[in-house]
Amino acid sequence: CITSSEYAFRIEAGTAGRVEISIDNKEWQPCRHAEGCWWYDWSGYLPGNHVATARCQTQDDGHKPASGTVHFKVQF
């Protein structure tokens, strides 16, 4: 449960060359790499149930397999 008006997703993706996140099945957004993980700063969202999916480019052919889906709730 997220209880703040700003949130940072942390994604562990090993040696990925690029990581993206889709929240609520919307357009894929790039994540930033810092401190050995990938991050996406999220703000401006509404209370309620949400879903997030991450994908990473790990192969030279550009294939980006998606991770599992995470369901969560925002409440403030």
Side-chain angles (χ1 to χ4, degrees):
C1 184
I2 297 172
T3 58
S4 175
S5 61
E6 296 178 358
Y7 186 78
F9 288 88
R10 183 183 78 182
I11 302 163
E12 295 185 21
T15 60
R18 179 178 172 90
V19 175
E20 299 172 316
I21 190 168
S22 172
I23 301 173
D24 296 332
N25 297 311
K26 294 184 179 173
E27 185 177 327
W28 291 99
Q29 300 295 318
C31 297
R32 61 183 168 81
H33 190 257
E35 300 179 26
C37 293
W38 292 85
W39 301 83
Y40 179 73
D41 300 315
W42 191 43
S43 62
Y45 44 82
L46 298 173
N49 295 317
H50 297 274
V51 60
T53 303
R55 68 181 183 184
C56 59
Q57 181 177 341
T58 57
Q59 300 174 4
D60 292 335
D61 64 4
H63 181 67
K64 298 178 184 174
S67 72
T69 300
V70 177
H71 296 266
F72 60 96
K73 185 173 186 174
V74 172
Q75 180 178 334
F76 35 72

